[in-house]
Amino acid sequence: MSQLLRVQNFTVSSDGFGAGEHQSLERPFGTADPGRLMAWLLATASFPHRAEPGGSRGLDDCLVRDFGTNIGAEIMGRNKFSPHRGPWTDLEWQGWWGDEPPFHTPVFVLTHHPRPSFTLSDTTFHFVDGDPATVLGTVKEAAQGRDVRLGGGATTIREFLDADLVDTLHVAVVPLELGSGARLWESPDELLDRFHCDVVPSPSGVTHHLFWRK
Amino acid sequence: MSQLLRVQNFTVSSDGFGAGEHQSLERPFGTADPGRLMAWLLATASFPHRAEPGGSRGLDDCLVRDFGTNIGAEIMGRNKFSPHRGPWTDLEWQGWWGDEPPFHTPVFVLTHHPRPSFTLSDTTFHFVDGDPATVLGTVKEAAQGRDVRLGGGATTIREFLDADLVDTLHVAVVPLELGSGARLWESPDELLDRFHCDVVPSPSGVTHHLFWRK
């Protein structure tokens, strides 16, 4: 079986935004409240940074568990990795995830401002510049036969969708309007010419959209 | 996190039967037509014995992929392993799954008629006798910190449910009546005193029931 490029657990507002405007160190999701946007994910037993025991083990949890299944590497945008823009002024910044990032594979950060790779626990971050197809070729090699996860944000996912490189997408739509920010879509229907889609309402209130290539 | 005992992808008819009567070598599911009972599973891209490429990658596939996630061992009933009953007359029988069984872990077959263990590819089959709690203790040790899958059939799952040893159950209910056979339940509501349950209709026509302990 060929290696897939997969989006997992990407969460957007009902009007299609993955984050609000004005991302900063204090507000990784900008004007969007991550506690509300990510509530479905935070409530699951398998959420990687879950502090206390407990949590749901139903539909949402099954999708959260799928985050790492057969994944050999991740591609993420610069804005997922860091609140900073432009040339790196602070190489001390090593991402939002502390000493034990939840990736457990190589992670490739797209940026026009390369910097040296570094390793935290079992995750190594690399910094790459290039068009989506070229970067994907490099990352598939690093994934050693397993799939590649496209981690977001919205702008990065759009670039790979526009280059027709995405094989499957799981997007959780939250009943919450943001009005502005980083937009994934105007409507999920935009993808139906190229993808099958299962639309699955969860008892938690989010609606999972599971797309796969026609 | 403690080790869970999990049922994955167990499929029953709308009246609660996991297989029809009169199981035999020719009819592993007895009077039930496996092509109809298991159609939802066979249509997914991740079904382990899938012959040709293609297949769906939506909700059903996500649940099928979860079959092996963090699983370290399986427990199955004698009737899942073999169509034979009583003392073993044919040690040549090594299960239904050919040279490459889809388990990839130790598998413990419950039987009053022990026989020597054997290995096919990366799956070793052991044969054990004992009450559910004692067997589960042995199997958790073999799973080396990972979860244990309870593989069925219906009678075996009932025994572990009655002993209150099951932590999560995924049951797919197929819109098809069998009328008789190996019964899991009269109704899924029987479990609601002890379990939370997400009831999730799939676009494929089956209804997934995802139970987890209260």
Side-chain angles (χ1 to χ4, degrees), chain B residues 2 7 9 14 64 84 113 127 144 158 196:
Chain B
S2 59
V7 174
N9 300 336
S14 56
V64 170
H84 311 112
H113 306 281
F127 298 83
Q144 299 186 305
R158 281 284 8 150
H196 301 280

Side-chain angles (χ1 to χ4, degrees), chain A residues 76-87:
Chain A
M76 66 170 68
R78 159 78 179 267
N79 295 1
K80 176 172 171 181
F81 175 74
S82 160
H84 312 111
R85 303 289 180 267

Side-chain angles (χ1 to χ4, degrees), chain B residues 95-209:
Chain B
W96 302 96
W97 303 279
D99 292 340
E100 302 210 359
F103 307 107
H104 314 295
T105 66
V107 171
F108 292 79
V109 180
L110 295 168
T111 171
H112 299 306
H113 306 281
R115 55 177 267 190
S117 303
F118 65 89
T119 299
L120 290 173
S121 180
D122 55 0
T123 299
T124 298
F125 290 88
H126 303 284
F127 298 83
V128 291
D129 195 5
D131 66 280
T134 306
V135 168
L136 181 58
T138 304
V139 179
K140 279 191 169 172
E141 204 162 311
Q144 299 186 305
R146 290 189 290 160
D147 294 340
V148 175
R149 185 176 48 239
L150 183 59
T155 309
T156 301
I157 295 174
R158 281 284 8 150
E159 283 172 10
F160 282 79
L161 278 173
D162 294 346
D164 201 22
L165 295 170
V166 178
D167 296 299
T168 69
L169 277 99
H170 163 223
V171 180
V173 179
V174 176
L176 160 76
E177 285 202 13
L178 284 180
S180 65
R183 192 157 217 169
L184 179 66
W185 58 39
E186 300 268 338
S187 153
D189 294 351
E190 292 167 17
L191 300 182
L192 296 184
D193 56 336
R194 288 185 286 156
F195 291 90
H196 301 280
C197 183
D198 280 355
V199 179
V200 186
S202 169
S204 66
V206 306
T207 303
H208 297 290
H209 289 66

Side-chain angles (χ1 to χ4, degrees), chain A residues 160-180:
Chain A
F160 282 79
L161 278 173
D162 293 346
D164 200 23
L165 295 170
V166 178
D167 296 299
T168 70
L169 279 98
H170 162 223
V171 180
V173 179
V174 177
L176 161 76
E177 285 202 13
L178 284 180
S180 65

Side-chain angles (χ1 to χ4, degrees), chain B residues 7-23 27-41 79-80 85 96 151-158 170-174 176-187:
Chain B
V7 174
Q8 300 282 148
N9 300 336
F10 193 73
T11 302
V12 300
S13 63
S14 56
D15 49 352
F17 296 97
E21 295 182 280
H22 310 301
Q23 187 197 33
R27 298 194 63 94
F29 289 85
T31 47
D33 174 356
R36 287 185 66 195
L37 197 60
M38 299 297 171
W40 75 274
L41 219 155
N79 294 2
K80 176 173 171 182
R85 303 290 180 265
W96 302 96
T155 309
T156 301
I157 295 174
R158 281 284 8 150
H170 163 223
V171 180
V173 179
V174 176
L176 160 76
E177 285 202 13
L178 284 180
S180 65
R183 192 157 217 169
L184 179 66
W185 58 39
E186 300 268 338
S187 153

